[in-house]
Amino acid sequence: MTITLYDCATAPSPRRARILLVEKGIAHETVQVDLRSGEQLGETYRSLNPQCTVPALRTDDGLLLADNPAIAAWAEARFPEPPLFGRTPADKAEIASWQWRVEFEGLMPVAEALRNSSPAMVGRALPGPVDYAQIPALAERGLQRLQHFFITLDQHLQGRDFIAGGQFSVADITAVVAVDFARVVKFRPGEQHPQLMRWRAAMAQRPSMQI
């Protein structure tokens, strides 16, 4: 099977897919999509993925997956080892819960803060084929939410090596990307987040995190 990942090396969302594919040991080809030039909105890419977003994953048997949840679900089902969604019902539930929390409380606030304040994203406050105006108040709220998320995650990581389920999981992948992505709005973990910094340093030892 030939697997192709439509990627953008500088964007956080496709990084989640890259890390997952490496952790799963899934061989794939990569096609870079230049978001800065708006390539994702052009007819060529739009015909492949009408959502006009990355990542997208295509297989040579006609499958097209146009978002991270679909890519992760497919990869877990198609390549079950190592499991990234847990093994037991309880672990699967905990990982699913934290995956959702990290997306909603971590990634979304960074995106809110960036997309509603950056001059480069005027008229592009949300990804996808539709243009939306920036709302400055959402940028301010995003920073407030992000500050709370870092505190919450730091407290949660007390006595834990991983986010959930007692194992490395998709929740760790998403959290790494969220924490690193926060740098674009000048927000980084500091001495007030010792558990978060310890966890992030441990994550950095995984080869997948270097991509």
Side-chain angles (χ1 to χ4, degrees), residues 84-132:
L84 295 179
F85 284 80
R87 293 188 184 275
T88 70
D91 289 346
K92 289 177 183 290
E94 184 183 15
I95 289 169
S97 177
W98 272 97
Q99 169 78 334
W100 181 87
R101 289 193 65 180
V102 172
E103 288 198 15
F104 183 74
E105 299 176 17
L107 276 175
M108 284 184 60
V110 184
E112 277 187 346
L114 174 65
R115 300 191 74 99
N116 286 285
S117 64
S118 171
M121 294 186 174
V122 171
R124 294 292 302 159
L126 290 173
V130 180
D131 293 339
Y132 289 98

Side-chain angles (χ1 to χ4, degrees), residues 7-167:
D7 193 359
C8 176
T10 59
S13 289
R15 185 181 177 211
R16 293 171 62 186
R18 290 199 305 273
I19 294 172
L20 182 137
L21 292 176
V22 170
E23 289 285 346
K24 282 286 190 182
I26 301 174
H28 61 281
E29 299 176 353
T30 298
V31 174
Q32 291 292 325
V33 179
D34 187 353
L35 301 186
R36 290 187 177 182
S37 70
E39 183 180 358
Q40 77 278 16
L41 301 172
E43 288 304 317
T44 299
Y45 188 72
R46 189 186 292 259
S47 65
L48 171 79
N49 176 15
Q51 294 185 46
C52 302
T53 54
V54 288
L57 184 145
R58 185 174 64 179
T59 65
D60 56 8
D61 60 359
L63 180 67
L64 177 68
L65 306 173
D67 53 65
N68 272 302
I71 292 170
W74 171 82
E76 185 79 350
R78 180 68 176 78
F79 303 91
E81 294 293 334
L84 295 179
F85 284 80
R87 293 188 184 275
T88 70
D91 289 346
K92 289 177 183 290
E94 184 183 15
I95 289 169
S97 177
W98 272 97
Q99 169 78 334
W100 181 87
R101 289 193 65 180
V102 172
E103 288 198 15
F104 183 74
E105 299 176 17
L107 276 175
M108 284 184 60
V110 184
E112 277 187 346
L114 174 65
R115 300 191 74 99
N116 286 285
S117 64
S118 171
M121 294 186 174
V122 171
R124 294 292 302 159
L126 290 173
V130 180
D131 293 339
Y132 289 98
Q134 292 177 325
I135 302 175
L138 289 181
E140 297 175 8
R141 187 183 72 176
L143 291 176
Q144 294 173 3
R145 293 179 65 200
L146 186 58
Q147 184 177 16
H148 181 72
F149 171 71
F150 272 41
I151 294 171
T152 298
L153 191 56
D154 181 72
Q155 293 173 346
H156 173 72
L157 284 166
Q158 177 70 45
R160 292 181 172 88
D161 292 329
F162 304 105
I163 298 289
Q167 64 156 92

